[in-house]
C-alpha cells in the first residue's frame, strides 16, 4: 500500500488525475495513517482517560464513511505537515485531520454514517448511545443523493472525493439487507466488495458516481476562491467544534469533559489562523 500510495501522490502533485479504484486505495491509506497515529499516541500517552484499544489497523480500514477534500498549498511549499492528528480532540475521536504534502492540502474526514443518508444509501433513523457505544434502529433509505453531502460549510475544494461504507454490523439485519438490495444501492456497490460503494464527486450542482476504472478529474479553483493554507486548517478545527457540540447532545453526562475539549479546540482555531 505504501508503494502504491507514493505513486498516487506523485501523480496528484504533478497535476495528474487518479482513477476511482486508485482513490479507493488512497482512502484506505488515509485510514491506515489515521488509525496508526491514534494507536501510536495511545501507546505513548498511557495516562489518557480512555480504554486500551482492542483492534489492529487492518480491522479499521474501509469500515466508515469517508471523504477527502483537496486544496492548494502555498506556492513552492515543500515537506509534509500534519495538523490536528496529535491533540486531545483527535485522541478522543480519531477522525478528521489535515495532511499537507508539498503543493497540496488533504483534509481527511471519516466518520461512521457521515455520508450514508445524504448520498442516498441506507441509514438508521434512530441512534442511541450507551456506554460509549452507538446502537442503530429503524433503517430507511432515500435512494437519491442530496447535495452537499456534508452538513458543514467547507470551502470549495479543487476536488472532493466521497465514499459511503455500508454497515457491516447491520448486514445480518433483514431490514437493512433488504435496503442494500434495492437498485440504487446495489448498482453502486463496488464489484467484488461487500460494503464499499463507488467513489463519488460533484460539481455544478450534480453528483457523479465513478466506475472503478473511470478517471476522477480535478477542477480548477478560480483565483478568488483560493484561500491561505491556515484558513483551511482553521476550518478543520471549526468543524470539530460542531462535532463536539453534537456529541454533547448525545452524552449529557460528559458535557464537562467535552467542554474542556472545545476550549482546547478553540485554542487550535486561533493558533491555526496565525500559522
Amino acid at each position: 500500500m505504501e508503494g502504491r500510495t507514493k505513486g498516487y501522490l506523485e501523480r496528484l502533485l504533478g497535476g495528474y488525475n487518479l482513477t476511482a479504484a486508485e482513490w479507493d486505495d488512497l482512502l484506505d491509506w488515509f485510514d491506515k495513517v489515521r488509525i496508526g497515529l491514534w494507536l501510536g499516541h495511545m501507546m505513548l500517552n498511557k495516562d489518557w482517560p480512555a480504554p486500551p484499544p482492542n483492534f489492529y489497523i487492518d480491522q479499521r480500514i474501509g469500515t466508515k464513511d469517508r471523504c477527502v477534500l483537496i486544496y492548494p498549498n502555498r506556492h513552492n511549499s515543500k515537506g509534509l505537515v500534519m495538523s490536528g492528528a496529535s491533540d486531545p480532540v483527535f485522541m478522543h475521536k480519531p477522525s478528521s485531520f489535515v495532511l499537507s504534502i508539498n503543493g497540496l492540502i488533504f483534509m481527511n474526514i471519516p466518520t461512521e454514517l457521515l455520508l450514508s443518508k445524504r448520498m442516498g444509501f441506507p441509514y438508521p433513523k434512530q441512534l442511541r448511545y450507551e456506554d460509549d457505544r452507538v446502537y442503530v434502529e429503524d433503517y430507511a433509505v432515500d435512494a437519491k443523493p442530496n447535495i452537499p453531502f456534508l452538513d458543514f460549510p467547507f470551502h470549495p475544494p479543487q476536488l472532493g472525493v466521497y465514499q459511503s461504507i455500508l454497515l457491516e454490523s447491520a448486514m445480518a439485519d433483514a431490514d437493512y439487507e433488504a435496503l442494500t438490495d434495492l437498485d440504487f444501492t446495489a448498482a453502486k456497490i463496488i464489484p467484488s466488495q461487500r460494503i464499499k460503494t463507488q467513489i463519488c464527486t460533484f460539481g455544478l450542482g450534480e453528483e457523479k458516481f465513478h466506475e472503478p476504472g473511470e478517471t476522477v478529474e480535478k477542477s480548477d479553483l478560480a483565483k478568488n476562491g483560493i484561500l491561505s493554507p491556515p484558513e483551511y486548517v482553521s476550518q478543520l478545527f471549526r468543524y470539530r467544534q460542531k462535532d463536539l457540540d453534537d456529541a454533547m447532545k448525545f452524552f449529557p453526562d460528559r458535557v464537562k469533559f467535552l467542554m474542556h475539549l472545545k476550549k482546547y479546540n478553540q485554542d487550535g482555531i486561533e493558533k491555526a489562523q496565525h500559522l
Side-chain angles (χ1 to χ4, degrees):
M1 181 184 288
E2 291 294 331
R4 296 193 303 273
T5 297
K6 178 181 178 182
Y8 301 152
L9 292 174
E10 286 176 341
R11 283 159 57 194
L12 289 172
L13 291 167
Y16 298 97
N17 298 311
L18 303 181
T19 66
E22 291 169 335
W23 269 112
D24 176 50
D25 204 22
L26 186 55
L27 290 177
D28 280 352
W29 180 78
F30 274 108
D31 283 348
K32 170 185 177 291
V33 170
R34 175 176 57 87
I35 296 301
L37 286 168
W38 185 74
L39 290 173
H41 288 309
M42 292 294 285
M43 293 175 65
L44 292 172
N45 299 277
K46 298 184 184 299
D47 59 340
W48 180 251
N54 58 357
F55 56 84
Y56 297 99
I57 292 175
D58 60 357
Q59 294 173 298
R60 290 294 188 270
I61 291 177
T63 61
K64 300 180 185 298
D65 288 358
R66 55 202 190 166
C67 74
V68 62
L69 308 178
I70 304 176
Y71 300 98
N73 203 353
R74 289 189 179 96
H75 183 62
N76 294 327
S77 293
K78 296 293 182 182
L80 184 151
V81 178
M82 288 190 181
S83 302
S86 60
D87 59 21
V89 181
F90 184 81
M91 294 281 281
H92 168 67
K93 183 179 179 180
S95 55
S96 53
F97 71 99
V98 168
L99 176 61
S100 302
I101 306 176
N102 293 356
L104 293 177
I105 296 171
F106 298 86
M107 186 178 295
N108 187 240
I109 309 167
T111 304
E112 195 167 55
L113 303 173
L114 175 72
L115 305 169
S116 54
K117 180 178 180 179
R118 297 183 72 88
M119 287 186 71
F121 296 112
Y123 65 92
K125 294 172 68 174
Q126 297 183 35
L127 293 176
R128 180 167 49 88
Y129 291 79
E130 290 183 11
D131 301 324
D132 289 338
R133 297 189 63 182
V134 181
Y135 296 86
V136 297
E137 302 171 352
D138 192 14
Y139 298 103
V141 65
D142 296 335
K144 61 179 181 180
N146 182 11
I147 296 173
F149 295 149
L150 294 172
D151 185 21
F152 186 82
F154 283 101
H155 298 305
Q158 281 186 324
L159 177 64
V161 177
Y162 305 84
Q163 186 179 43
S164 183
I165 309 293
L166 303 181
L167 293 173
E168 179 78 40
S169 60
M171 285 300 188
D173 185 296
D175 292 337
Y176 185 83
E177 186 178 26
L179 295 178
T180 66
D181 289 338
L182 296 178
D183 289 346
F184 179 86
T185 299
K188 293 174 177 59
I189 297 175
I190 297 175
S192 77
Q193 296 286 338
R194 176 174 167 81
I195 60 174
K196 281 184 174 181
T197 66
Q198 293 176 345
I199 294 295
C200 186
T201 59
F202 64 83
L204 300 178
E206 184 176 359
E207 78 286 343
K208 180 173 178 55
F209 289 89
H210 300 266
E211 296 289 343
E214 187 177 352
T215 298
V216 179
E217 297 185 358
K218 299 188 295 294
S219 62
D220 292 325
L221 287 177
K223 287 186 177 180
N224 60 1
I226 299 176
L227 305 175
S228 66
E231 175 57 30
Y232 297 125
V233 176
S234 177
Q235 189 170 58
L236 169 77
F237 288 95
R238 293 197 294 272
Y239 169 74
R240 285 181 168 184
Q241 291 292 72
K242 174 188 177 299
D243 203 34
L244 291 167
D245 284 335
D246 291 342
M248 285 193 285
K249 300 174 186 176
F250 290 104
F251 301 106
D253 58 325
R254 304 186 67 185
V255 166
K256 184 176 181 179
F257 173 69
L258 293 170
M259 285 296 294
H260 175 73
L261 291 181
K262 281 196 65 176
K263 183 178 183 301
Y264 188 94
N265 195 67
Q266 182 61 41
D267 291 340
I269 294 174
E270 296 171 4
K271 290 177 181 178
Q273 293 173 339
H274 294 91
L275 290 177

